[in-house]
Amino acid sequence: MKTSIATVSLSGDLEEKLSAIAAAGFDGVEIFENDFLTFDGGPRDVGRMVSDLGLACVAFQPFRDFEGLPEPERARAFARAERKFDVMEELGTKLLLVCSNVSPVSLGGIDRAAADLRELGERAAKRGLTIGYEALAWGRHVSDHRDAWEIVRRADHPNVGLILDTYHTIARGVPVESIRSIPGDRIALVQVADAPKLDMDLLQLSRHFRCMPGQGDYPLVDFMQALDATGYDGMLSLEIFNDQFRAGSPRQTAADGKRGLVFLMDQVARSKTNPRGRKPAMPARPAPLGVEFIEFAVDEDTAAQLRGFLGGLGFHKAGTHRSKAVELWRQGAVNLVINSDKEGFAHSSYIVHGPSVCAIGLRVSDVEGAMARARELLVPSFTQAVGSGELEIPAIRGVGGSLIHFVEPTGPLADIWSVDFTLSDDTGGAGDIGLKRVDHIAQSMSYEEMLTWTLTYTALLDFEKEAQVDITDPGGLVRSQALHAPGGAVRVVLNSSQSAKTQSGRFLSEFFGAGTQHVAFESADIFATVRAMKANGLEPLPIPDNYYDDIDVRFGLDPALVAELRDHDVLYDRDGDGEYFQTYTRTFADRFFFEIVERRADGGRAYQGFGAANAPVRLAAQARSAPEPTVPRR
Ligand SMILES: O=C(O)c1ccc(O)c(O)c1
Ligand SMILES: [Mg+2]
């Protein structure tokens, strides 16, 4: 598969865009006219920059409002086209993208449009050039690729081809199956874009909200399967108009684009109907099986405070690292690592962010497969020297430069603890409070990063996206994207906000970047857990009475249950599968906090959400509440 991307998809000047495109490993680039017009150099200079970077110049675009015009506009359109052909000759590109006319003076009529394209094709042929015709979803008379194809077919000229764009086809609801009857050799170029399912004007949606494959909701796998049936063997070219990307890092956006295309073609190769018999370029997505550990970067002082906090939460020290200032704390199946070593990754992370979650360990079905996918998907891996006899646990870079380590149920990575740690079941603390496992991990990031991480998690591992939700924080809106592994074995919630005043926003600005903001543990009996936690001197986050008065009527709950919720500062939610109970600690060092949840099942599977309806109550309570006094009272 050869890949390309239109310059309009990235921020920066033309030079920055082109170098980002080359760095992400694309084969070609579509030059957007605006990027050319604003460039301080001639078309030959642009052509040289493109070829020096090893890129092919796939197309020059867009050429607007051409077909079906009356005179004198028609003659002027041909003159304009000749001028574009001059530029293309110097640029070194063969293909001009002609998008369907939106002008109110255009006349319509399939044969008139076909005659115009045929004449333009004839003129292009004289210069060894080709034109490709694309139906814009908001075209005046042509807004459907089936009509565009009929025009191209009737133009019947070897230098006139069809351009397909996933956005225009899918946004308009044109059946992708209609692509299967188009001959692949008449398709000049295929543009690929994803988009969120939003009920809005198609032009506005296209110009501001397109996104990389896998970041939106469009059925691109179906589109590609239909395309494969045509025999099309040309470039897949990203054309992504997106306000965030125009403002973001061109390198990050370009890498996201490449990652999205690689993941898309991986899905096509793995689908049952795979008309071209494509072979997957990497192993299948490994399943996340559980959270093996959470590692905290601290210094000596905050390590002492964290021990006290975790002790109050019922954790006990269960091991000491053989060569580093690292401790393992445990409860149920939860492993927490307190790293106060003065060297290595955790220490650098502490220097940059302060006390923080610096790494997460995920148990996955295939560590080698995860690392192989990471390479193909441009996710950087991480290694650091380990002591002799110690395990090297494969890792990739996660959110905010933190690490995601991978372990697996069998083989050398099955038991990481007995290798690097001296294990001692010194219960130390006040005793178990009933925490069983990590239920979910919530990470805060900038708005721009949210799409990057949604795509990275889902492309790399078997995570499924849930619907995005907006949550009100006293400081602004927070957008939340949940991901879950099969059976809820691992759940990750990504939060971001454009406001610097929300909890998510403050997390980023005060602590230098994105990261894990809270970890939720599962209890089998949340009320008993809260009582045990209180007995240890750790008070849950106080929840206002108004909340309980409201849920009483909202869910029609038993008054005894409402009283119990109120007494324990436990929040409540219910979905079609069951009930959810949740409570929070205050924040530790103003940086991260913990949640305790209980998921109950009505019948089959348990409640699946995260209590989104309760999040505003929690956020407001946190905004009011002082951080946890660092060492809990005993
Ligand atoms: O938004 C536009 O005008 C526009 C231009 C060229 C394209 O290829 C396209 O898909 C949209
Ligand atoms: Mg297009």
Side-chain angles (χ1 to χ4, degrees), residues 249-450:
S249 144
R251 293 208 166 223
Q252 182 64 56
T253 309
D256 284 346
K258 191 70 199 295
R259 177 176 303 130
L261 279 176
V262 169
F263 179 37
L264 175 61
M265 296 322 288
D266 181 57
Q267 291 167 281
V268 173
R270 289 174 190 289
S271 63
K272 280 192 216 80
T273 46
N274 175 6
R276 288 179 60 122
R278 291 182 185 274
K279 297 274 174 291
M282 52 192 175
R285 291 188 308 164
L289 304 174
V291 175
E292 180 69 22
F293 67 87
I294 310 268
E295 179 170 347
F296 298 89
V298 285
D299 65 357
E300 277 167 21
D301 287 347
T302 44
Q305 293 162 2
L306 187 56
R307 284 184 202 105
F309 194 44
L310 296 181
L313 274 170
F315 287 86
H316 65 273
K317 183 171 154 190
T320 312
H321 196 278
R322 295 185 197 280
S323 65
K324 300 182 196 159
V326 177
E327 293 174 0
L328 167 63
W329 284 61
R330 262 190 178 154
Q331 178 173 193
V334 186
N335 296 304
L336 303 181
V337 174
I338 304 182
N339 190 331
S340 58
D341 207 58
K342 292 266 189 304
E343 277 174 46
F345 174 78
H347 185 63
S348 342
S349 185
Y350 174 78
I351 300 287
V352 178
H353 302 290
S356 55
V357 172
C358 64
I360 289 167
L362 292 184
R363 215 170 322 118
V364 297
S365 56
D366 173 12
V367 170
E368 214 177 290
M371 296 306 288
R373 284 186 77 88
R375 278 191 298 280
E376 293 296 319
L377 293 163
L378 313 182
V379 181
S381 59
F382 174 87
T383 46
Q384 74 178 352
V386 295
S388 77
E390 291 174 9
L391 265 184
E392 184 168 335
I393 308 173
I396 56 161
R397 287 281 182 178
V399 169
S402 65
L403 302 182
I404 300 176
H405 289 281
F406 296 119
V407 303
E408 60 197 346
T410 54
L413 291 168
D415 178 21
I416 55 174
W417 305 112
S418 63
V419 179
D420 289 2
F421 287 79
T422 308
L423 299 175
S424 60
D425 250 322
D426 144 28
T427 48
D432 193 310
I433 66 165
L435 304 184
K436 302 284 180 218
R437 60 185 283 276
V438 172
D439 180 89
H440 65 271
I441 292 170
Q443 303 187 309
S444 285
M445 60 203 63
S446 69
Y447 211 66
E448 291 69 33
E449 287 171 289
M450 187 124 146

Side-chain angles (χ1 to χ4, degrees), residues 30 32 61 97 99 134-136 163-168 191-193 206 210 237 239 241:
E30 287 181 61
F32 237 71
Q61 76 133 318
L97 178 152
C99 50
E134 177 192 32
L136 296 178
I163 293 184
L164 291 171
D165 180 324
T166 60
Y167 175 81
H168 299 297
Q191 296 179 316
V192 182
S206 177
R210 287 190 186 205
S237 190
E239 185 194 33
F241 307 87

Side-chain angles (χ1 to χ4, degrees), residues 65-70 101-109 112 139-141:
D65 297 336
F66 166 73
E67 83 284 12
L69 291 170
N101 206 325
V102 302
S103 165
V105 306
S106 67
L107 299 170
R112 181 190 297 272
R140 186 137 188 116
H141 304 290

Side-chain angles (χ1 to χ4, degrees), residues 104-124:
V105 306
S106 67
L107 299 170
I110 278 203
D111 284 321
R112 181 190 297 272
D116 287 345
L117 284 187
R118 183 186 175 84
E119 184 175 338
L120 193 61
E122 195 54 36
R123 293 189 189 208

